[in-house]
Amino acid sequence: MKKIFAIFTAVLLPHLLHGEELIIFHAGSLSSLFFTLEKEFEKENPGVNVLREAAGSVMSIRKIKELGKPADIVAVADIDLISHMLYPDFVTSYIGFATNRMVIAFKKNSKYAEEINAENWFEILTREDVKVGRSDPNNDPCGYRTLLLWKLSEKYYKKPNLFKKLLTSAEKRFIRAKETDLISLQEAGEIDYHFQYESVARENNFEYLILPPEIDLSEPEFSEFYSSVSVEIRGKTPQEKIKITASPILYGIGLLKGARNPELAWRFITFLLSAKGRKTMEEKGLKPVFPPLIFGNK
């Protein structure tokens, strides 16, 4: 009996507990999409339990690479993070599946809400009585894309020192770990404006300002102009820096080498890329990339 119990504990019990679990680390801006896909996927695959953990994309990758936390799939808001930080040691291939754009989100009662437009937003956001929120560039692509957007704006609007003015105006006390953490600040009226993805602004019924495509990081045709600016974020140590060059927004997903059930993980990725998955992306304000872009070992 003891021998049978030992075999059960060592071999069968882990399978029963974990065999049909699927662990996904994903960007905060994918939370609504993946919540919906989780429920639909579990319906179509009885007995499967999808476990999701949302964080800034940089933080999600660090959980895998530096902390060794177990996961099956990683989905990030910037596919370049996978190529630079996970490939080829942690993933063998990865897929670009959706795009987005940067916007300025606000409420109807935000200061100067009736006045703001695509030509004067930087003048309003640098006023002393206006409070501006942004996410942490060291954890979150939306955070470093905000800085890149500001640098592009300085060039596009031909406004010397605009980047520094915006950096000074957006106080550190209104920085949060990821873009979705800014939602509660905006709802509570603690900030007037924040830099956000269009999909998240739409999902949360915010007013939002659409910016020129030359600066909102949405259009591949402006890739050359985007790439004229870059920022540095914190690396593995405080002394190490990672250079981020601006590029069109592209979400990426990859199957991790340590996945406990690769077949199940691929089934979820296929579901995401299916017609049903693409329709859900559109409903959530994302623009699907079809056919998807495959990188690494194809």
Side-chain angles (χ1 to χ4, degrees), residues 279-296:
K279 181 181 179 183
T280 305
M281 288 186 221
E282 291 173 346
E283 291 170 351
K284 301 298 182 181
L286 291 164
K287 184 178 179 182
V289 174
F290 190 78
L293 305 175
I294 303 174
F295 302 90

Side-chain angles (χ1 to χ4, degrees), residues 263-283:
E263 188 278 330
L264 181 63
W266 273 121
R267 207 185 310 162
F268 182 89
I269 292 172
T270 302
F271 183 67
L272 167 72
L273 302 175
S274 69
K276 181 182 287 187
R278 298 197 304 274
K279 181 181 179 183
T280 305
M281 288 186 221
E282 291 173 346
E283 291 170 351

Side-chain angles (χ1 to χ4, degrees), residues 6 27 32-33 48 59 67 72 77 88 109 111 149 170-171 178-179 226 228 254 260-261:
S32 181
L33 171 65
V48 171
M59 182 55 66
L67 302 180
D72 302 298
N109 60 354
K111 290 187 180 77
L149 187 157
E171 299 177 57
K178 59 184 182 295
E179 72 287 300
Y226 295 163
S228 67
R260 294 168 303 171
N261 193 332

Side-chain angles (χ1 to χ4, degrees), residues 23 85 87 91 94 100 118 122 173 187 205 211 229 231 254 279:
I23 301 175
M85 299 177 75
Y87 178 81
V91 298
Y94 50 101
N100 212 332
F122 48 88
R173 64 192 175 110
E187 292 285 7
N205 298 312
L211 300 166
V229 301
V231 296
K279 181 181 179 183

